[in-house]
């Protein structure tokens, strides 16, 4: 059985004080919610990861980084390595977010390297991908998603997907309040699972969690999560409020 996952991508938000407050609020909000087969993950900014790990130690909340560099170490000013993350107790990383692709020129081939680096160190990877508005309007969204997955992931062995969580995030739905409908999400997730089955095996495809991301809020989460191929969500804005994020976790 594949796991359900609700992950909060905090992006470039929250100071240390705010990080601690939000974690405190989340712990309170999640109390009493049964999380048997659900992973709850938060991704604060790099500088607050260490404290976030400490503050979540005795809870079900896992902590992820929002990026990692592909090289082991070296002259890469401003970058963070996988060993540095591992050393402070982080073992999940978000890769390929559309903001990293758009503003920091992350390419499919760089992402393939990053995924290798992370998996090589035993990390779980939340791998993001998704089409732009123009792609959907031109009815190219399936093709774009297929290319993104092929280029960054399909050189991996099937085994590696035990550590990969896919996150379909249509760019037009991110931070816009315009979510994909539950049917649009299901249609794409089913397509993605079909691609995995074709490239690897049906068994393997059934085991991979596929999250939806893009304007998930407490009021629409339940409907989106009710779809058979939607295994949870990657949440931006609504993950910054303990009450909203807890409500979203509750609706899985
Ligand atoms: P919003 O939930 O704010 O639309 O952001 C989604 C996202 O980018 C999560 O990675």
């Amino acid at each position: 059985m594949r796991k359900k996952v609700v992950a909060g991508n905090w992006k470039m938000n929250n100071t240390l004080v705010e990080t601690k407050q939000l974690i405190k609020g989340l712990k309170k909000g999640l109390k009493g919610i049964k999380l048997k087969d659900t992973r709850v993950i938060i991704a604060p900014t790099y500088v607050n990861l260490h404290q976030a790990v400490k503050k979540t130690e005795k809870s079900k909340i896992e902590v992820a980084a929002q990026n990692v560099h592909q090289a082991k170490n070296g002259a890469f000013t401003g970058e963070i390595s996988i060993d540095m993350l591992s050393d402070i107790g982080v073992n999940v990383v978000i890769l390929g977010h559309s903001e990293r692709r758009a503003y920091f020129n992350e390419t499919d081939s760089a992402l393939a390297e990053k995924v290798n680096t992370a998996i090589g160190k035993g990390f779980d990877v939340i791998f993001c991908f998704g089409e732009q508005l123009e792609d959907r309007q031109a009815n190219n969204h399936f093709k774009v998603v297929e290319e993104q997955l092929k280029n960054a992931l399909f050189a991996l062995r099937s085994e590696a997907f035990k550590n990969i969580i896919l996150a379909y995030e249509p760019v037009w739905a991110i931070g816009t309040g315009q979510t994909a409908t539950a049917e649009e999400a299901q249609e794409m997730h089913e397509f993605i699972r079909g691609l995995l089955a074709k490239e690897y095996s049906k068994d393997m495809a059934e085991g991979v969690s596929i999250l939806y991301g893009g304007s998930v809020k407490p009021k629409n989460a339940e409907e989106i999560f009710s779809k058979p191929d939607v295994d949870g969500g990657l949440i931006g804005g609504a993950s910054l409020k303990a009450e909203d994020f807890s409500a979203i976790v509750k609706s899985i």
Side-chain angles (χ1 to χ4, degrees), residues 43 117 165:
T117 297
I165 297 164

Side-chain angles (χ1 to χ4, degrees), residues 28-85:
K28 208 169 139 212
L30 295 177
K31 243 187 214 144
I33 304 180
K34 284 210 181 81
L35 293 172
K36 207 165 78 53
D37 291 314
T38 304
R39 293 174 72 175
V40 177
I41 304 173
I42 55 169
T45 185
Y46 278 138
V47 286
N48 296 327
L49 283 175
H50 196 190
Q51 280 298 319
V53 168
K54 287 189 175 168
K55 293 287 169 197
T56 52
E57 246 161 25
K58 287 188 196 78
S59 76
K60 282 270 301 184
I61 304 169
E62 298 174 61
V63 175
Q66 297 174 18
N67 182 31
V68 72
H69 196 272
Q70 55 270 47
K72 185 164 171 47
N73 62 289
F76 299 101
T77 301
E79 291 291 324
I80 305 284
S81 77
I82 201 79
D83 286 344
M84 294 168 189
L85 295 175

Side-chain angles (χ1 to χ4, degrees), residues 120-137:
K121 191 75 188 176
F123 273 54
D124 284 344
V125 172
I126 301 176
F127 185 81
C128 308
F129 53 93
E131 81 281 1
Q132 311 270 348
L133 183 60
E134 309 85 84
D135 302 321
R136 184 160 278 264
Q137 283 167 340

Side-chain angles (χ1 to χ4, degrees), residues 111-182:
L111 287 169
E113 289 180 39
K114 289 180 180 220
V115 170
N116 267 323
T117 297
I119 291 197
K121 191 75 188 176
F123 273 54
D124 284 344
V125 172
I126 301 176
F127 185 81
C128 308
F129 53 93
E131 81 281 1
Q132 311 270 348
L133 183 60
E134 309 85 84
D135 302 321
R136 184 160 278 264
Q137 283 167 340
N139 211 23
N140 257 343
H141 43 299
F142 294 113
K143 194 159 160 270
V144 167
V145 161
E146 182 168 354
E147 284 296 307
Q148 287 173 327
L149 292 176
K150 269 194 177 154
N151 294 342
L153 300 183
F154 284 5
L156 293 168
R157 290 170 301 118
S158 176
E159 274 292 293
F161 280 82
K162 293 204 169 93
N163 294 91
I164 291 180
I165 297 164
L166 296 177
Y168 168 58
E169 298 206 305
V171 178
W172 49 270
I174 296 177
T176 57
Q178 189 199 342
T179 176
T181 63

